[in-house]
Structures are given as structure tokens and as C-alpha cells.
């Protein structure tokens, strides 16, 4: 089970830190990802991290502004979002893939478990 939190309303240029807490003893083996979905649009990839945290990958529009990280001791993955833009406004979801093989995953269908989403709204 995944529980996302940390969303809110922020002005353009501001920052937010999303958290995704996972239950279960095998979290450290899961590849994790963040996705987002704006109204009327499909869910899109934002960032991914391997089970060890040694590799990360970002969607082009957030690279350099967002940072994904994880703390396996706390069963939590984070998404630090800086220099936010109005186009970042969306419902943000965390996702987990159980058998990851040390790889990064970037599509919705690659993931086994999803959190409930946390709303991020960036005002101009």
C-alpha cells in the first residue's frame, strides 16, 4: 500500500516536497516512480528511481527542477519539486514495481502498485 502526501497550493517559482510512504517489508526491492495527471490529460511519467537509489531518471520538462530520492529505512520515496511552474499543476501519483531487476521504469504499465494521488496546484 502506498500513501502519497505533501501536495498543496504554491506560487510559481516555489517548492514542494512530496512523500510516498509504503507498507510492507520488501519496499527496498521495489523500483519506484512518480507520475502526474492533469485534468483531461493522460497520466504521464515524471521521475523514477531504482531499488537501491543508485540511478534516477526524469521527464525532460522536470529535469533539473525535480529530484527523486528514497529512504529504504523509512520505506519512503520523495519528490523534491523546485522552480515550480503553472504547467506542473496536476494530481501526482507514486507507483511501485515489485520485481525491478535494478532497472528504471517509465511507463504506467510497468508498475504494480499505485498510491491515491496528491494534488499540486501552482498559481501564476
Amino acid at each position: 500500500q502506498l500513501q502519497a502526501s505533501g501536495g498543496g497550493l504554491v506560487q510559481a517559482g516555489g517548492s514542494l516536497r512530496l512523500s510516498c510512504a509504503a507498507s510492507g517489508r520488501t519496499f527496498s526491492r521495489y523500483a519506484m516512480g512518480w507520475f502526474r495527471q492533469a485534468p483531461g490529460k493522460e497520466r504521464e511519467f515524471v521521475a523514477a528511481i531504482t531499488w537501491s537509489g543508485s540511478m534516477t531518471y526524469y521527464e525532460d520538462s522536470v529535469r533539473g527542477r525535480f529530484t527523486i530520492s528514497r529512504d529504504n529505512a523509512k520505506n519512503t520515496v520523495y519528490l523534491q519539486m523546485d522552480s515550480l511552474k503553472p504547467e506542473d499543476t496536476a494530481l501526482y501519483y507514486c507507483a511501485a514495481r515489485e520485481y525491478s531487476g535494478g532497472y528504471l521504469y517509465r511507463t504506467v504499465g510497468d508498475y504494480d502498485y499505485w498510491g491515491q494521488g496528491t494534488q499540486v496546484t501552482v498559481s501564476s
Side-chain angles (χ1 to χ4, degrees), residues 5-6 11 25 36 53 76 81-82 86 90 97 102:
S5 61
Q11 289 188 332
R25 294 175 292 177
R36 64 187 179 187
T76 302
M81 304 187 296
D82 299 318
R97 178 183 172 99

Side-chain angles (χ1 to χ4, degrees), residues 77-91:
V77 64
Y78 305 97
L79 186 68
Q80 177 67 40
M81 304 187 296
D82 299 318
S83 302
L84 282 161
K85 304 176 181 180
E87 50 264 44
D88 295 319
T89 295
L91 190 60

Side-chain angles (χ1 to χ4, degrees), residues 28-32 50-51 97-105:
S28 62
R29 302 178 188 176
Y30 291 6
M32 300 295 295
T50 54
W51 67 269
R97 178 183 172 99
E98 190 166 6
Y99 298 104
S100 63
Y103 298 108
L104 295 162
Y105 298 90

